[in-house]
């Protein structure tokens, strides 16, 4: 594996991903909610952060941008469609653009709905995708700035990635998502089995992210919704779900 990917838990349930490309020695951060723990982790490893990649403008994904940039001189890449909402952005990218990290390229996938310009980054050669707040383990992002039809389209793009793609989400929402998923699909045996594992992992204080595309195809009620209308129904039900 050419990429070393370190999970940094911050705030109540955010994951910041610190990504090191061994061949070049380059280090990148995905969605730094805050700066201090990210700088500390990089320093502890002797890694110099040269890039930040943002998936969308929300403060719990961009809040550390300015301080990390001031400390390291890194460049910040993010969605062109949210340029005005991320004042620290240096490089604007959109669907199909290649974003280099050392000798590797990630492809930008446009996944609007949670925010109007939300993007994901896919390293096809590594089987790794950073999806921000669009796809979660057994869940999807709330529809703050887009429609269920857009999210349905996003799910089609993401489920088309190879099944063994490791999916790095920005939050630990898995257990709550899974409790709703069991209500949405009570007869899904793969889902029931996964939740037994998830409950055990959380009881041990372990993270449940990354997930994989194959696991989400089998257990995610939003990826598995058969229409935009069903996705909309499920999203509304989850928004009001207290499990
Ligand atoms: Zn968000």
């Amino acid at each position: 594996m050419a990429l070393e990917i370190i999970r940094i838990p911050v705030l109540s349930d955010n994951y910041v991903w610190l990504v090191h490309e061994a061949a070049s020695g380059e280090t990148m951060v995905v969605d730094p909610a805050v700066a201090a723990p990210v700088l500390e982790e990089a320093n502890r490893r002797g890694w110099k952060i040269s890039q930040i990649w943002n998936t969308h403008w929300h403060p719990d994904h961009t809040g550390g941008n300015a301080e990390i940039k001031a400390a390291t001189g890194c460049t910040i890449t993010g969605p062109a469609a949210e340029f005005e909402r991320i004042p620290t952005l240096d490089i604007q990218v959109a669907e199909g653009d290649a974003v280099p990290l050392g000798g590797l390229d990630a492809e930008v996938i446009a996944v609007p709905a949670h925010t109007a310009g939300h993007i994901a980054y896919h390293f096809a050669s590594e089987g790794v995708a950073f999806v921000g707040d669009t796809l979660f383990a057994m869940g999807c992002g709330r529809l703050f700035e887009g429609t269920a039809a857009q999210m349905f389209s996003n799910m089609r793009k993401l489920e088309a990635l190879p099944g063994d793609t490791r999916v790095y989400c920005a939050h630990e929402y898995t257990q709550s998502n899974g409790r709703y998923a069991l209500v949405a699909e009570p007869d899904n045996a793969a889902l029931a089995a996964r939740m037994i594992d998830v409950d055990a992992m959380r009881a041990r204080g372990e993270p449940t992210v990354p997930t994989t595309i194959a696991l989400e195809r089998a257990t995610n009620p939003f990826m598995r919704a058969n229409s935009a209308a069903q996705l909309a129904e499920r999203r509304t039900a989850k928004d009001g779900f207290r499990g």
Side-chain angles (χ1 to χ4, degrees), residues 169-188:
C169 322
H171 291 274
E172 179 64 60
Y173 287 162
T174 309
Q175 200 168 30
S176 156
N177 285 340
R179 286 177 185 145
Y180 168 71
L182 287 170
V183 173
E185 294 196 7
D187 300 326
N188 184 332

Side-chain angles (χ1 to χ4, degrees), residues 200-241:
M201 290 167 83
R202 296 307 291 156
R204 294 192 298 264
E206 295 171 7
T208 63
V209 178
T211 178
T212 67
I213 292 294
L215 205 44
E216 297 315 308
R217 284 182 196 142
T219 63
N220 185 312
F222 300 94
M223 185 171 274
R224 294 166 59 77
N226 58 26
S227 65
Q230 188 178 48
L231 189 151
E233 276 171 30
R234 289 178 169 188
R235 186 61 263 177
T236 302
K238 173 65 170 71
D239 288 350
F241 182 73

Side-chain angles (χ1 to χ4, degrees), residues 4-232:
E4 197 172 342
I5 303 174
I6 307 300
R7 173 191 302 98
I8 306 175
V10 301
L11 306 181
S12 58
D13 52 31
N14 279 75
Y15 288 138
V16 176
W17 302 104
L18 187 66
V19 183
H20 184 70
E21 203 263 323
S24 66
E26 207 180 334
T27 301
M28 175 273 285
V29 186
V30 181
D31 284 351
V34 294
V38 177
L39 291 167
E40 282 164 21
E41 184 66 32
N43 287 340
R44 201 173 67 74
R45 293 172 178 274
W47 295 351
K48 184 178 185 322
I49 295 168
S50 57
Q51 299 192 53
I52 291 169
W53 293 2
N54 293 140
T55 61
H56 66 296
W57 67 267
H58 283 162
D60 64 323
H61 297 255
T62 57
N65 277 10
E67 193 178 334
I68 294 172
K69 186 175 179 174
T72 64
C74 69
T75 60
I76 304 179
T77 297
E82 297 183 358
F83 165 67
E84 290 179 346
R85 308 199 76 164
I86 312 176
T88 45
L89 217 56
D90 298 303
I91 301 170
Q92 303 177 38
V93 295
E95 172 92 354
D97 285 348
V99 188
L101 177 69
L104 303 175
D105 279 338
E107 185 187 345
V108 174
I109 305 174
V111 284
H114 177 70
T115 64
H118 199 303
I119 57 175
Y121 299 91
H122 176 223
F123 285 98
S125 64
E126 306 307 304
V128 165
F130 296 98
V131 296
D133 287 356
T134 291
L135 177 62
F136 294 115
M138 296 181 278
C140 76
R142 287 178 181 248
L143 307 177
F144 288 125
E145 299 178 5
T147 65
Q150 286 176 310
M151 189 59 89
F152 185 76
S153 162
N154 296 340
M155 293 298 116
R156 303 289 73 73
K157 287 181 178 180
L158 295 174
E159 79 174 350
L161 301 179
D164 61 358
T165 304
R166 288 181 301 286
V167 178
Y168 291 80
C169 322
H171 291 274
E172 179 64 60
Y173 287 162
T174 309
Q175 200 168 30
S176 156
N177 285 340
R179 286 177 185 145
Y180 168 71
L182 287 170
V183 173
E185 294 196 7
D187 300 326
N188 184 332
L191 170 57
R194 184 180 188 183
M195 270 307 279
I196 291 170
D197 291 344
V198 164
D199 287 341
M201 290 167 83
R202 296 307 291 156
R204 294 192 298 264
E206 295 171 7
T208 63
V209 178
T211 178
T212 67
I213 292 294
L215 205 44
E216 297 315 308
R217 284 182 196 142
T219 63
N220 185 312
F222 300 94
M223 185 171 274
R224 294 166 59 77
N226 58 26
S227 65
Q230 188 178 48
L231 189 151

